[in-house]
Each structure stands twice: as C-alpha cells, then as structure tokens.
Amino acid sequence: MSNVKKGLISRTYLLPFILITSLFFLWGFARSILDVLNKHFQESLSVSVFQSTLIQASTYLAYALMALPAGIFITRYGYRRGVVMGLGLFALGAFLFIPGEGVSSFSLFLGALFILGCGLAVLETAANPYAAELGDPATAASRLNLAQSLNGLGSILGPVVVGGYLFSETDAQISIPYSIMGGVVLIVAMIFTRVRLPEIKDTAIESADGDATAPTGLTATIRRLWSSAKFRMGVLALFCYEIAEISINSMFINYSVDSGWMSKHTATLVLSFGALGLFMVARIIGSAVMSRISAARVLTVCALLTVVCSAVVALDFGSISRYAVFGCYAFEAIMFPTIFAITISGVKGMTKIASSFLMMTPLGGAVGTSLMGWVAGQTSITTAFIVPCAGYLAVLIYARMMSRARRS
C-alpha cells in the first residue's frame, strides 16, 4: 500500500476551492436533467427513443467543439474570466427554452441545449484542472474526486426536482425550471465578476522528461501534448468512460419502465436518490481511499467491477441484473476525476490546453447514448448494456497500463 496521505487543500487555497467547487454542483444539476428530457420529449413531442438521444448528442457535441477554444481563452485571460464566460453561455441556453416551448420545436430545444453545452464545456475546462492544482500534486486525484462530489449532489437533485415536476404535473412547462436555473446561474456569474481567484499560470512548456527547452505557442503545445503516449491513452480512456457513464444515465428511466421494473415517476426518484446518490457517496469514499492507496490501483479494481456489473445487466439475470445497474454507478464514480488527474499530472506548463482536449471527451456520451439507443431498437434495452460494458473494458485496460507504469 502506498502511503500518499497528504493535505488535500492548503489554507491559502481554501476559499478559491470552495468557490470553484460550487460550479461542479451547477453542471451536475444541468447534465442530470438531460436524462429526464429523453423520456419527457418522447411523450410531449412524440419523438422516438433514438431521436431523443439527440438531446445528449447536441449537448456533448458542444463539448467537442467548444473545449479547445475555451482552453485558449482561459490561457489568455485566466480562469476567472473563463468561468464568467461559461456561466453566461449556460444562462443563455437555459433562457432559450422559453421560445422553444412557445413554438413546441424540438430543433429549437436542441439548439438551446447546444449553447448550454458550450457553457458547460467552458466551465469544466476551467474548473477541473483548477481544482486539481489547488494543492499538493500527490493528492490531485483525491482532491478532484472531493470536488466532483458536489457534481454528484447536483446530479441527485436535478432529476428529482425537474423530473418530479415534469412527470407529476399534466400541464408541466419545461421552460419554468430552465428559466429558474438561468436566473441562478446569472447570479453566480455576478459573484465571480466580483471575486479574485489566484491564477495558476502555465509557465514553461515542458515534456514529460523535463525538457524545458521546448518551443512555445499553441501549435507547439498541441504537438508536444499528443506526442505523449500517456496523454493520448488518457484522452481515449476518458472518452470510453463517457460512453459508458452517460449512456447508462440516459437510458436508466427507459430501462426501468420498459422492463416493467417501475413507473417513470418512481424511476426518476430511484435515479436521483438511489443510483446518483450511491454515485456521490462512492466518490466521497473514493477520495478518502485514494489518500492512502494509489489512484491507478483503485481505478483498476473499480473498472474490473464495472465490466462485471454491466455484463450481468446485458445478459439479463432478472432482479440480479437490476442490482448490477447500481453496481455500475458505485464503481464508476471515481473514474472521471481519477483519469483526468492522472492524465494532466505529466503535462507541466500545458495544463489548460490539456484540459481542453480532455473536456472534448463527453462527446463519447453522445456516441454511447446514440449507439445504445440503436442497439435497444434492434434488440432490447437490456442487451444494449453491452455498449457501456465495452466502454468500461477500455478503462480497465488503461488502468492496468497505468498501474504497471507506476510500478516500473
């Protein structure tokens, strides 16, 4: 056992850490609502299961297109201005739900979600590396898991608040919760225009072997990043994780209803307090565990267990498979922050641009959700769990490689 227990956050960075962690709650809330919108639009706008996956596709396509511009902006103007810009786009996308509902246009809703997704991409590109860097590098994975726990809390409340409203009211208007969310986001943006955050600068462009003579500039930085096998594998592993995590979230309500397990309203509550609640608790536990055990080793064990759980669901063992779904949520919880922290640990001087490429990976969620929806249409929603199983398997391979590299 590797004893890496060190202070997570110094007193100097405590207030900035609290402020930046509040953003994790906001995007957790916003992203979790997407899983409710799938079922809502299937009924209110009569779209198919496959068509409803465009909700995830439009949002996560925004991540792929906006993440690199966000990294360039943050590199030039700093984390604080990046956060304010992200919050502004977030609010604009939320307010566009008002005209979308006025004309009952699925296309306009998708456009609003794309703009909202651009805002989330900017926020995550800024907040993830910032939280990881506010302290000792040895505890970066543990610190980021702790910050991501607020993301889990937002993910719990999103479906229960918005889903509870949409599925319990016959004349529910989707523009109402999004308008309220837009107002809250604008208030948070105003707060960030008034506070000062210590800027963590990318100083020298260094390679993993410590070469400080590398050329500077965006093109040279990108070239040097992608020359690192560790970075390339980290981006691919995070992409595959997003395939698994987002596709399961998106199809949880469909799986619960179509299998006769529960009603859509009950499924929303179970998704919030059961699955996502377990996810948040597991992430907190993971943060504590990784203060004592290496992140790569914890990731390996969790990845193996998610492969087993998702395979059990795909093979349909009845009630056992239903419990296995919760196993996926429990053991995947530490994956995103852990892979993210491991990947940026070797990119000295290039953190902001590296973060940009890592934040393109939620596009995997759009790919996974669309693929899972297609497989479900061809076979069954149960069999479609083979899609997240493949994603978890890729993470397992990555974790084993990182664990071996650490021991060598």
Side-chain angles (χ1 to χ4, degrees):
M1 180 181 293
S2 174
N3 184 12
V4 294
K5 186 176 182 180
K6 298 181 180 180
L8 285 183
I9 311 152
S10 67
R11 290 185 178 181
T12 304
Y13 292 140
L14 182 58
L15 181 58
F17 183 80
I18 292 172
L19 289 172
I20 211 74
T21 299
S22 69
L23 301 176
F24 287 73
F25 174 87
L26 290 176
W27 79 63
F29 190 96
R31 284 177 57 163
S32 68
I33 299 174
L34 299 178
D35 309 324
V36 173
L37 292 184
N38 278 61
K39 193 65 176 176
H40 172 70
F41 284 136
Q42 287 168 28
E43 297 181 348
S44 64
L45 298 178
S46 300
V47 300
S48 68
V49 173
F50 179 72
Q51 286 176 314
S52 73
T53 63
L54 292 174
I55 293 167
Q56 276 73 21
S58 61
T59 305
Y60 296 124
L61 177 62
Y63 276 79
L65 297 178
M66 192 65 185
L68 184 56
I72 296 170
F73 182 90
I74 294 164
T75 299
R76 184 170 183 178
Y77 297 107
Y79 284 110
R80 185 177 66 84
R81 290 181 180 177
V83 166
V84 172
M85 182 178 78
L87 290 169
L89 289 171
F90 186 165
L92 175 61
F95 287 132
L96 283 175
F97 267 69
I98 298 174
E101 187 163 61
V103 296
S104 297
S105 170
F106 186 55
S107 297
L108 188 51
F109 281 126
L110 294 179
L113 287 170
F114 178 83
I115 294 173
L116 192 151
C118 287
L120 298 184
V122 178
L123 288 181
E124 294 202 47
T125 301
N128 279 297
Y130 194 75
E133 292 187 0
L134 288 176
D136 194 301
T139 55
S142 182
R143 185 166 48 256
L144 190 51
N145 268 281
L146 180 61
Q148 287 274 358
S149 298
L150 266 291
N151 174 272
L153 181 60
S155 297
I156 291 172
L157 294 179
V160 72
V161 172
V162 179
Y165 166 69
L166 291 178
F167 296 148
S168 63
E169 300 288 338
T170 55
D171 57 346
Q173 297 179 320
I174 187 60
S175 62
I176 292 178
Y178 270 92
S179 298
I180 295 172
M181 184 164 55
V184 171
V185 168
L186 281 182
I187 293 173
V188 175
M190 289 297 296
I191 294 173
F192 271 91
T193 62
R194 302 293 181 180
V195 300
R196 288 190 176 185
L197 296 177
E199 188 63 30
I200 300 174
K201 297 186 178 295
D202 287 351
T203 51
I205 305 296
E206 295 182 322
S207 64
D209 60 2
D211 178 11
T213 63
T216 58
L218 178 62
T219 302
T221 299
I222 293 174
R223 188 182 301 117
R224 183 160 290 273
L225 275 174
W226 285 100
S227 68
S228 167
K230 178 183 176 183
F231 180 75
R232 294 196 303 270
M233 289 188 296
V235 172
L236 179 59
L238 209 55
F239 181 86
C240 291
Y241 162 73
E242 296 284 14
I243 287 177
E245 187 250 337
I246 294 173
S247 62
I248 289 180
N249 276 349
S250 301
M251 294 297 166
F252 181 89
I253 296 176
N254 281 95
Y255 171 75
S256 302
V257 174
D258 294 351
S259 64
W261 185 11
M262 60 186 82
S263 69
K264 62 184 180 181
H265 181 65
T266 303
T268 301
L269 296 176
V270 172
L271 175 62
S272 292
F273 294 111
L276 296 175
L278 182 62
F279 183 92
M280 183 186 73
V281 172
R283 187 166 274 176
I284 294 172
I285 294 173
S287 175
V289 170
M290 277 185 283
S291 68
R292 296 181 177 276
I293 303 175
S294 73
R297 184 179 299 179
V298 176
L299 181 63
T300 300
V301 173
C302 288
L304 175 60
L305 291 171
T306 53
V307 169
V308 172
C309 288
S310 55
V312 168
V313 180
L315 294 171
D316 194 6
F317 290 108
S319 59
I320 296 176
S321 293
R322 294 169 181 174
Y323 289 116
V325 173
F326 291 100
C328 292
Y329 280 93
F331 298 118
E332 75 177 12
I334 57 94
M335 287 184 178
F336 180 91
T338 303
I339 298 170
F340 191 100
I342 290 174
T343 304
I344 66 170
S345 65
V347 296
K348 296 177 182 178
M350 302 179 285
T351 302
K352 294 169 184 174
I353 300 301
S355 175
S356 298
F357 285 108
L358 289 168
M359 288 319 306
M360 291 180 181
T361 59
L363 180 62
V367 173
T369 301
S370 298
L371 185 56
M372 196 173 179
W374 180 82
V375 174
Q378 301 301 310
T379 56
S380 68
I381 190 67
T382 301
T383 305
F385 270 77
I386 195 67
V387 173
C389 184
Y392 291 135
L393 181 60
V395 174
L396 174 60
I397 294 171
Y398 166 80
R400 287 290 296 159
M401 294 176 68
M402 291 299 102
S403 186
R404 288 173 181 171
R406 180 180 175 275
R407 290 198 299 267
S408 61

